[in-house]
Structures are given as structure tokens and as C-alpha cells.
Amino acid sequence: MSTIKNIFHKIEIHKSCYIIIILSILSANFLFIIITSYLLLIHECGHFFTATFFKWSTEKIHFYPFGGISKFSHDLNCPLKEELIVLLMGPIMQILAYFLIIKIPYFYNYHFLITMIHYNILLFNLLPIYSLDGGRILQCLICYLTSYNLSFKLIYLISYLTLSIFIIFFIYNPSLNLLIIIILLLIKLLLEYKNVKYYLERFILERYLHKYHFKKSKIVRNEHLFKRDYHHLIKDKNKYLLEEEYLNNKYKSKT
């Protein structure tokens, strides 16, 4: 019960949501808001409870029109599988919540509406835009193939390309809801981009401060090529340095 109370305490609703609520009431579509809120809440609870299971520190659950974002504090060097599970449990729990609600007799007559809302939320959140689940899941998958540093460059490129498609679609099919979504996603992307340098520095600093035990190893030229789930051997001209030696030299030179 304390965990459930903790969720409601950390919920933060964006002001734009109230505009959608007012418009829904005025157009006699309040059931739309009830179903949307139910699916979004279960979706974010999937992230929240899984993050709690892995002993992550949960900060806020932000609700936006047709989507939500859970903010967590955890080691950037946590296992990729662990982060993927946390990210995937949101969509998985939403799918389970959808199948549960359509089995309730009262909602039989609203099957089409519930299905439409469910797939709109699900597909929207799985878009390859970094602030959404889809973007973060894609970045984790990219990290399996390349460095943590390069994963940010690639996911932001993909994010802006995807957002560009939305903008083109809006030009030919303008709507208030789509405009609000585009603006919110763009603002979120720009704000997150400002934090990239912090994430990269924190990623390296964590490795200096903590003793991680990775099973895989890789030879690299510098810290910008460090990969998640890997321990590194740094080739410096004609000699090799263990990751610990390299980071000790890096941070001791700054003190």
C-alpha cells in the first residue's frame, strides 16, 4: 500500500492535459479521459514497480496528453537487460490492462473506443523519439552495437527525423492535439539534449567511483568509445592501460 501511495504522491500532470479534459467534457467524451487515464496509469505503474524491484530511485511520473514519462535515478552503467526490462514493462502492463478492461461487461459497448485509445497510446509511446519509451528502448538496443557516446548521436538523429515526419503530417492534416504533441516532444527533446554532456560525464565518473564487474571486455582508444556492459582496455600509443588506470589518471589530473 505504501508503494501505491508513493506513486500518487509522485504524479505530476502537465497543464496541457487540463485543456484536453475540458475539451472532452464540453464534447461529452469524458469516458475517453477515464479510459486514457486508466491505461496511462497502469502503463507507468509497470515502469514504477519494475524499477522499484531493481531498487532504482523513482522521482516523478509526468503525464502529458496521450502519454506519460517516468523519471528514474539509477546507475547509467546498470545492466542493459535490466533497463530494457524496466522500459518494456510499461507497454506490457498496458497491454494486459487493455485485455482486462475489454472483458468487463460494462465496457462491451465501448470496445472500439477502448481499442482505439489503447493502440494510440501504445504506438505513440513506442515511437523512436528519445523522450518516449520507444526512443529509450531503441537507444538501449543501439548500445549493444556501439558506444554509449555514439548511441546518443544516433538516437537524437532518429528522433528529429521522426518528429519531422510528424510536422509534415501536421502541415497537411492540422489538428490542435497533434500540434500540442509536437510542441511538447520538441521541447522535451531540446531539454534532454542539454543533459547529454552530463550523462556522458556521469557514465564515465560512475566507472571511476564504483567497481563494476562486467563479463565482456573491449580494446578502445579513449573513453568516448566506452560501451555499456563492457570493461575496457585503453590503447594509448604503444601501451595499454586498464580502465581503472586510465580513469585514475583522468580524474587525479583534475584534482
Side-chain angles (χ1 to χ4, degrees), residues 9 11 14 41 47 51 53 56 64-65 75 89 101-103 121 131 150 186 191 196 223 236 241-242 246 252:
H9 178 70
I11 287 177
H14 194 271
L41 180 61
H47 293 311
F53 174 79
W56 289 14
Y64 299 95
D75 281 4
M89 281 306 295
I101 194 171
I102 62 174
K103 295 296 183 182
I121 294 173
S131 55
L150 184 57
L186 182 59
L191 291 174
V196 171
E223 64 198 62
D236 184 14
L241 293 174
L242 292 173
Y246 178 85
K252 282 182 179 178

Side-chain angles (χ1 to χ4, degrees), residues 92-104:
I92 289 172
M93 288 302 296
Q94 182 187 321
I95 292 169
L96 293 176
Y98 162 72
F99 283 114
L100 175 63
I101 194 171
I102 62 174
K103 295 296 183 182
I104 299 174

Side-chain angles (χ1 to χ4, degrees), residues 87-142:
L87 292 170
L88 289 169
M89 281 306 295
I92 289 172
M93 288 302 296
Q94 182 187 321
I95 292 169
L96 293 176
Y98 162 72
F99 283 114
L100 175 63
I101 194 171
I102 62 174
K103 295 296 183 182
I104 299 174
Y106 175 79
F107 292 105
Y108 282 170
N109 295 330
Y110 304 104
H111 187 279
F112 176 78
L113 176 65
I114 296 170
T115 301
M116 180 191 70
I117 294 171
H118 165 64
Y119 283 108
N120 280 340
I121 294 173
L122 186 65
L123 295 176
F124 174 76
N125 273 287
L126 290 177
L127 286 171
I129 298 176
Y130 180 67
S131 55
L132 303 175
D133 290 344
R136 295 181 183 274
I137 290 169
L138 182 56
Q139 191 202 14
C140 283
L141 296 176
I142 292 172

